[in-house]
């Protein structure tokens, strides 16, 4: 399908205001890297998402989902086809011991809402800078808690545009993995079942976790959080630290001196710098300790042509 025809079709199924053409993506990623999306759409209703996904499916147009961009490296060649940002679906509703939120809500805000209603179970998420959709996709977790512990169900759309509701079990949540990844679904909404708690105690736990995070992580720089998954029986950060890689830099990206598991963009770093540094760290750790490091961060998009 020709580019102008795709635009015309998109304008006929969703409001024009939510469509951007050739949109630079670096402004939407925590690493501050990324080329352009052919079409960048920010739907405000679930029905828009369904219509766009159905259109992409029937016309064989690739589709990519974006949450808060905190676990993604987008290459400088950008993304062909349609990119849907879910961030406009950001409602948070509370009833009794349940919280239902749109996939674009920040999990930090959902965690704070739980605290405000004296509901316990989401304290672990008080410093994770992702959206609800990204958190379900990754089964995000920290300090012994994870999405799997408290999610009740997620409302998703499959690759044809059909709505499906998946229970906790059906979501197949595992270490940084879920059916959402495996089946290329998009999350529209998630429901969490929490337990009644004491607001003061919930706040104290969140304060403790925040202090631990701020003292260990290089939050003053752009990054994508922990770059690598935890290899069985090891900690990625420790292996990198013991390989003397802290402070090692390629282009504008450096292995953090504060937390070896993080790579920080210290000045105009590119996705290529990130990828080269990731490969260098993988190679070094493999040579030194015979351990394979697998990225936790998602690396997507086209390589630059020049
Ligand atoms: C400073 C820092 C600290 C971090 N700490 C933690 C931590 O403690 N624990 C942890 O688990 N992670 C952590 N992360 C990583 C990141 O915040 C989480 O993985 C988060 O869940 C990603 O959510 P996101 O909305 O930013 O996803 P994005 O980065 O936008 O996307 C990540 C992946 O999810 C997919 N996706 C996003 N939204 C949807 C959706 N609605 N439907 C389907 N797919 C979707 C995207 O296609 C992509 O493949 C940290 C990151 C940073 C920068």
């Amino acid at each position: 399908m020709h580019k102008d025809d795709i635009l015309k079709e998109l304008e006929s199924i969703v409001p024009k205001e939510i469509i951007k053409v050739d949109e630079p993506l670096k402004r939407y990623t925590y690493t501050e890297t990324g080329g352009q999306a052919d079409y960048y759409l920010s739907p405000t209703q679930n029905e828009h998402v369904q219509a766009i996904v159905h259109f992409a499916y029937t016309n064989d147009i690739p589709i990519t989902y974006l949450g808060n961009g905190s676990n993604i490296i987008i290459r400088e060649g950008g993304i062909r086809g349609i990119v849907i940002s879910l961030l406009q679906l950001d409602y948070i509703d509370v009833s009794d011991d349940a919280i239902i939120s749109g996939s674009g809500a920040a999990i930090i805000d959902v965690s704070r809402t739980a605290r405000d209603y004296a509901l316990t179970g989401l304290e672990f998420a008080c410093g994770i800078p992702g959206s609800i959709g990204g958190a379900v996709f990754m089964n995000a977790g920290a300090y012994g808690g994870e999405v799997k512990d408290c999610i009740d169900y997620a409302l998703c759309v499959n690759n044809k545009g059909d709505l499906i509701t998946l229970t906790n079990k059906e979501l197949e949540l595992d270490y940084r993995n879920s059916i959402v990844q495996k089946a290329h679904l998009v999350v529209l909404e998630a429901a969490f079942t929490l337990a009644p708690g004491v607001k003061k105690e919930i706040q104290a736990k969140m304060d403790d976790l925040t202090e631990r995070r701020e003292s260990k992580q290089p939050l003053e720089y752009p990054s994508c959080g922990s770059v690598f998954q935890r290899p069985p029986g090891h900690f990625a950060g420790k292996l990198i630290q013991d390989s003397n890689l802290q402070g090692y830099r390629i282009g504008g990206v450096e292995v953090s001196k504060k937390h070896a598991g993080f790579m920080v963009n210290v000045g105009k770093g590119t996705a290529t710098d990130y990828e080269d540094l990731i490969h260098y760290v993988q190679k070094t750790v493999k040579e030194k300790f015979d351990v394979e490091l697998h990225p936790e961060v998602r690396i997507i998009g086209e390589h630059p042509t020049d």
Side-chain angles (χ1 to χ4, degrees):
M1 213 174 177
H2 190 269
K3 219 173 162 182
D4 291 342
D5 295 330
I6 295 178
L7 182 60
K8 264 192 217 138
E9 287 290 331
L10 284 171
E11 286 176 345
S12 73
I13 57 172
V14 292
K16 272 185 186 174
E17 310 80 71
I18 71 162
I19 308 172
K20 289 179 178 169
V21 179
D22 295 334
E23 178 69 358
L25 293 169
K26 68 190 289 183
R27 62 180 63 151
Y28 304 110
T29 60
Y30 266 59
T31 52
E32 299 180 359
T33 65
Q36 295 182 344
D38 291 345
Y39 307 93
Y40 178 88
L41 285 82
S42 321
T44 54
Q45 297 172 21
N46 290 353
E47 293 72 24
H48 294 162
V49 179
Q50 282 186 267
I52 300 161
V53 173
H54 182 72
F55 168 72
Y57 176 76
T58 46
N59 291 286
D60 209 15
I61 298 168
I63 195 156
T64 304
Y65 304 115
L66 204 52
N68 212 23
S70 64
N71 198 37
I72 206 157
I73 294 170
I74 301 178
R75 297 188 182 104
E76 271 69 37
I79 300 182
R80 301 293 69 81
I82 296 171
V83 173
I84 300 187
S85 162
L86 282 307
L87 291 187
Q88 297 302 315
L89 304 177
D90 61 353
Y91 53 89
I92 303 176
D93 296 326
V94 185
S95 70
D96 300 328
D97 60 351
I99 296 190
I100 297 182
S101 95
S103 62
I107 196 166
I108 289 178
D109 291 340
V110 178
S111 164
R112 289 179 183 156
T113 303
R115 173 206 55 202
D116 294 344
Y117 283 80
L119 293 170
T120 180
L122 266 173
E123 294 90 329
F124 76 88
C126 70
I128 299 178
S131 66
I132 286 294
V136 176
F137 178 96
M138 292 300 294
N139 184 26
Y143 303 108
E146 56 183 0
V147 165
K148 185 183 180 179
D149 299 336
C150 51
I151 190 166
D152 188 16
Y153 68 83
L155 178 67
C156 300
V157 169
N158 68 14
N159 68 333
K160 296 185 184 142
D162 306 319
L163 278 179
I164 45 171
T165 302
L166 296 171
T167 62
N168 181 308
K169 200 161 173 238
E170 288 166 339
L171 282 165
E172 295 179 18
L173 297 157
D174 205 346
Y175 177 64
R176 305 295 173 263
N177 204 349
S178 69
I179 190 73
V180 178
Q181 285 182 35
K182 291 179 266 186
H184 197 52
L185 307 175
V186 52
V187 179
L188 295 181
E189 178 180 286
F192 300 91
T193 302
L194 303 166
V198 178
K199 199 169 164 184
K200 235 171 130 182
E201 289 170 12
I202 296 168
Q203 183 64 58
K205 190 164 176 193
M206 288 166 77
D207 289 345
D208 174 47
L209 297 184
T210 303
E211 202 189 307
R212 283 157 73 179
R213 196 177 275 276
E214 285 175 356
S215 66
K216 293 212 175 78
Q217 299 184 357
L219 302 178
E220 61 280 23
Y221 289 108
S223 82
C224 51
S226 295
V227 174
F228 298 104
Q229 295 183 356
R230 199 174 51 234
H234 298 274
F235 289 101
K238 177 89 171 74
L239 293 169
I240 297 166
Q241 190 179 340
D242 292 347
S243 302
N244 294 321
L245 286 167
Q246 279 183 284
Y248 188 85
R249 187 186 294 192
I250 293 185
V253 181
E254 180 178 290
V255 177
S256 166
K257 296 181 187 112
K258 193 168 175 187
H259 186 314
F262 279 54
M263 290 180 183
V264 289
N265 189 341
V266 288
K268 297 204 166 62
T270 62
T272 308
D273 296 339
Y274 265 102
E275 274 196 282
D276 289 349
L277 190 56
I278 287 170
H279 293 148
Y280 184 78
V281 169
Q282 284 173 317
K283 186 172 156 283
T284 309
V285 168
K286 173 78 180 152
E287 280 167 9
K288 271 205 157 226
F289 299 105
D290 197 25
V291 177
E292 307 262 1
L293 291 180
H294 298 286
E296 173 173 325
V297 62
R298 319 295 295 182
I299 305 171
I300 62 168
E302 313 255 315
H303 290 281
T305 42
D306 45 306

